């Protein structure tokens, strides 16, 4: 058997998350359906993890195993543009990339395929060792979250309504940066900033790196930014979080706290007390202020990158 790693992106708006579910439309189901049509057999991919409904990805990773005969068959279908020095694994990877480049066109008019767009697309396909695991071989992951903020709520570009949390109030960027520093670069107990799932055995004490930045989306007398992204009289913020692994809904809970502080509903001093309390005793949930309990909407979250010891 030969294992191939697929790095891919997806628009999660119309899906019920990544993981396969009975009678639901998921990213995993679409990927496996596509591969099943190529291989003419049952296919089960192994992924980096999973995402909730509505969450997007730019750097998701999954693996699929092919037999020697399947590798040879795909290598022959890769095209004549590859020279003789390219081995069968590289040719098969090139073919897989081409057929997964853009697919799962589940939007638009079914009678007219030209109105539909691919909501899943491969970014790279490479042959990897058979012991490579999309989840357990990961060194770290990075999520990004976008927030569209401003009093001119009705002028929201339609693209941002799919990929960002719209917050009507102006946000205090300095306060959000200060709060992010409190949660960063030191090991903390994040159990209170996640939803504990049955059977979760991983240590909730993690070291997370968080950054909060404003994204320029409107330049004076400059049309270089596409019209569907321009944020007139408003602000777009990008919150980036990097960690070896994230607990369930951890990133969205962190974003909810940063926004609450940016809105003035709480402050960094209160956050510091919560962090200190939970680092000492994880059973003190009664000390969490109500303003810290909001989970940010899924649509603003994107799995940006997963790093491995080998290039994917």
């Amino acid at each position: 058997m030969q294992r191939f790693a697929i790095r891919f992106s997806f628009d999660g708006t119309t899906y019920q998350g990544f993981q396969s579910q009975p009678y639901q439309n998921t990213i995993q189901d679409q990927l496996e359906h596509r591969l099943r049509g190529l291989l003419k057999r049952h296919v089960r991919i192994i992924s980096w993890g999973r995402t909730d409904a509505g969450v997007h990805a730019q750097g998701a990773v999954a693996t699929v195993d092919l037999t020697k005969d399947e590798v040879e068959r795909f290598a022959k279908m890769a095209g004549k543009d590859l020279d003789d020095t390219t081995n069968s694994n590289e040719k098969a990877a090139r073919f897989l990339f081409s057929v997964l480049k853009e697919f799962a066109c589940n939007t638009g008019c079914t009678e007219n395929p030209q109105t539909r767009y691919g909501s899943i697309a491969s970014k790279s396909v490479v042959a990897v060792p058979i012991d490579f695991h999309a989840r357990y071989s990961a060194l770290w992951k990075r999520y990004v979250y976008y927030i569209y903020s401003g009093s001119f709520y009705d002028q929201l570009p339609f693209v941002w309504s799919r990929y960002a949390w719209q917050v009507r109030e102006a946000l205090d960027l300095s306060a959000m940066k200060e709060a992010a520093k409190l949660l960063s670069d030191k090991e903390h107990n994040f159990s209170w900033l996640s939803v504990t799932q049955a059977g979760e055995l991983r240590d909730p004490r993690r070291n997370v790196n968080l950054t909060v930045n404003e994204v320029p989306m409107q330049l004076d007398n400059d049309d270089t930014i596409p019209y569907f992204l321009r944020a007139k009289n408003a602000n777009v913020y990008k919150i980036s979080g990097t960690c070896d692994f994230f607990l369930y809904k951890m990133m969205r809970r962190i974003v909810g706290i940063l926004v609450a502080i940016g809105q003035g509903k709480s402050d960094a001093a209160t956050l510091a007390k919560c962090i200190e309390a939970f680092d000492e005793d994880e059973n003190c949930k009664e000390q969490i202020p109500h303003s810290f309990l909001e989970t940010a909407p899924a649509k603003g979250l994107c799995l940006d990158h997963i790093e491995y010891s080998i290039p994917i």
Side-chain angles (χ1 to χ4, degrees), residues 2 44 69 105 119 130 160 177 189 199 210 268 298 310-311:
Q2 175 61 55
R44 197 50 136 183
D69 289 343
C105 303
S119 49
I130 197 64
W160 288 108
K177 285 179 175 286
N189 186 342
L210 295 167
I310 59 176

Side-chain angles (χ1 to χ4, degrees), residues 8 41 57 129 155 162 215 231-232 288 297:
F8 58 99
R41 62 172 173 85
Q155 297 186 22
R162 295 172 67 96
V215 181
K232 185 177 181 181
I288 305 175

Side-chain angles (χ1 to χ4, degrees), residues 112-149:
N112 183 7
Q114 292 183 347
T115 69
R116 298 177 289 169
Y117 69 95
S119 49
I120 305 173
S122 62
K123 303 182 76 174
S124 66
V125 179
V126 297
V128 294
I130 197 64
D131 61 351
F132 174 87
H133 196 286
R135 178 180 181 184
Y136 298 117
S137 298
L139 301 177
W140 52 264
K141 301 179 182 70
R142 179 174 62 240
Y143 280 93
V144 295
Y145 196 99
Y146 285 97
I147 300 167
Y148 186 99
S149 164

